[in-house]
Amino acid sequence: QAKIAGKNCYRFYSKAMDQAVERRMQLEEDLRRAMENDELSVVYQPIFELSSGLLVGAEALLRWEHPDKGSIPPAVFIDVAEQTGQIDGLGRLVLQRACARAARWERSGEGEAPFVSVNVSARQLRLGDLPEIVTAALRESGLPPNRLHLELTETAVLGDEVQASLLLGRLRAMGVKIWLDDFGTGFSGLSHLRRVPVDGVKIDRSFVADVLRDPDDLALTTAIIAMAHSLSITVVAEGVESEGQYAVLRERGCDQAQGYWLGRPMPAAELERRMKA
Ligand code: C2E
Ligand code: MG
Ligand code: MG
Ligand code: MG
């Protein structure tokens, strides 16, 4: 009896696993087609300086509009692309498009043009050719290196700190700015900043979400700002969804912010209209 149940159990799990593998393979195939058929686009979320209220930059975010399945969130397909290696091509695509876009802002505006911030995944860092890929994207677009920011998560950097600091050091020597994304979630943050050279940290939106309700989150956010500033590191708050959050972050000396309250991710043309306004 037990043996039969065990067997059924095994078959149940194996079937569920098969389905997961099948879904992944389907997604991989869809993604390959998406890259060929131009179903992928890049949207831009504005980043503002808190002291002046000025738009100072934008984060480039990938979007996939599947012809049958509708829009597929990056949280789903970036993960698959990481595992299949498709992230290499995707990463290059985003870098090229974002640099080309920001080079246009550079040419068209008076005063200091907004920077563009591009997300880099763990695998892109592990491959080791990131400086070459970035150099090519900058050269092709004509974008000055200091107008490009790269966002890496703590976990991506954590994997191999020696390799990471070497690569990031080369990029920083070129003038590219390095930001730590989702900062605070890894909780390795503090000691890390001494070993891995970064120009900025983006406070994860889970802290920002509760900054008005939860005194602990406010204390942590305030501590991150103070600690970063003592190391001459810029602080950006992510996920600002209300005026109250914006006000308290500004009062605590946070440098920059992005979030739905300030502006959703939008097509480049729409962002360009906002830059003029
Ligand atoms: P992330 O880099 O932390 O990007 C911020 C995410 O928060 C974006 O989600 C953005 O739309 C969302 N967001 C912005 N403001 C708010 C807000 O006020 N409230 C809330 N609830 N959310 C807000 P999105 O575009 O779905 O991207 C999710 C993640 O996917 C990104 O997190 C990033 O890790 C990854 N990703 C997106 N594009 C790329 C890419 O081109 N390359 C790589 N490697 N990863 C990417
Ligand atoms: Mg990011
Ligand atoms: Mg983030
Ligand atoms: Mg909390």
Side-chain angles (χ1 to χ4, degrees):
Q1 192 70 17
K3 209 170 173 185
I4 294 168
K7 210 169 170 188
N8 284 343
C9 230
Y10 169 74
R11 286 182 53 178
F12 171 77
Y13 283 117
S14 126
K15 201 169 168 194
M17 267 156 60
D18 282 352
Q19 282 169 350
V21 169
E22 209 168 285
R23 257 202 311 277
R24 163 143 304 161
M25 282 169 62
Q26 183 62 52
L27 210 54
E28 178 182 359
E29 195 184 308
D30 284 0
L31 192 52
R32 186 171 304 119
R33 201 207 46 232
M35 289 166 82
E36 285 161 10
N37 295 358
D38 217 26
E39 290 166 26
L40 296 157
S41 61
V42 180
V43 291
Y44 297 86
Q45 184 174 33
I47 300 173
F48 294 86
E49 183 174 70
L50 287 171
S51 61
S52 64
L54 290 173
L55 193 162
V56 290
E59 178 173 8
L61 294 159
L62 257 177
R63 291 292 176 265
W64 178 9
E65 196 57 36
H66 191 288
D68 316 317
K69 295 172 189 157
S71 86
I72 300 178
V76 172
F77 68 84
I78 294 286
D79 194 44
V80 172
E82 267 264 314
Q83 290 171 42
T84 61
Q86 289 169 309
I87 193 70
D88 308 347
L90 270 184
R92 264 197 301 274
L93 179 135
V94 177
L95 256 178
Q96 283 163 355
R97 289 211 195 160
C99 288
R101 219 8 114 158
R104 278 175 54 168
W105 304 339
E106 188 75 27
R107 287 193 295 268
S108 67
E110 308 100 58
E112 186 146 306
F115 61 79
V116 74
S117 202
V118 176
N119 293 285
V120 171
S121 75
R123 186 186 151 104
Q124 286 175 280
L125 196 63
R126 262 199 323 275
L127 283 179
D129 59 353
L130 193 61
E132 285 72 28
I133 289 168
V134 167
T135 305
L138 291 172
R139 195 180 46 233
E140 282 160 27
S141 62
L143 183 71
N146 68 354
R147 300 289 83 198
L148 175 65
H149 294 191
L150 298 178
E151 298 188 7
L152 296 124
T153 60
E154 284 176 271
T155 36
V157 174
L158 216 73
D160 186 347
E161 283 184 40
V162 178
Q163 154 105 332
S165 8
L166 212 74
L167 288 180
L168 300 182
R170 280 174 63 196
L171 286 158
R172 288 183 87 209
M174 289 163 54
V176 173
K177 303 266 186 267
I178 305 297
W179 294 73
L180 273 190
D181 205 351
D182 305 340
F183 190 75
T185 51
F187 257 100
S188 54
L190 309 184
S191 62
H192 232 68
L193 293 177
R194 285 190 295 128
R195 288 194 293 269
V196 180
V198 300
D199 301 282
V201 294
K202 298 185 82 169
I203 300 180
D204 190 67
R205 69 164 183 267
S206 57
F207 292 102
V208 175
D210 279 344
V211 99
L212 296 176
R213 277 190 306 254
D214 186 337
D216 291 345
D217 283 356
L218 180 58
L220 271 169
T221 300
T222 308
I224 290 173
I225 294 168
M227 184 259 326
H229 283 172
S230 72
L231 298 167
S232 304
I233 289 169
T234 304
V235 186
V236 185
E238 287 190 306
V240 174
E241 294 185 351
S242 73
E243 188 170 8
Q245 291 167 349
Y246 179 87
V248 80
L249 287 162
R250 193 180 143 156
E251 183 241 328
R252 298 290 158 134
C254 184
D255 302 293
Q256 298 172 8
Q258 72 187 95
Y260 292 167
W261 187 72
L262 293 157
R264 295 208 169 226
M266 58 185 91
E270 203 177 317
L271 185 75
E272 284 155 18
R273 276 195 293 280
R274 282 189 69 162
M275 285 175 187
K276 292 206 190 84

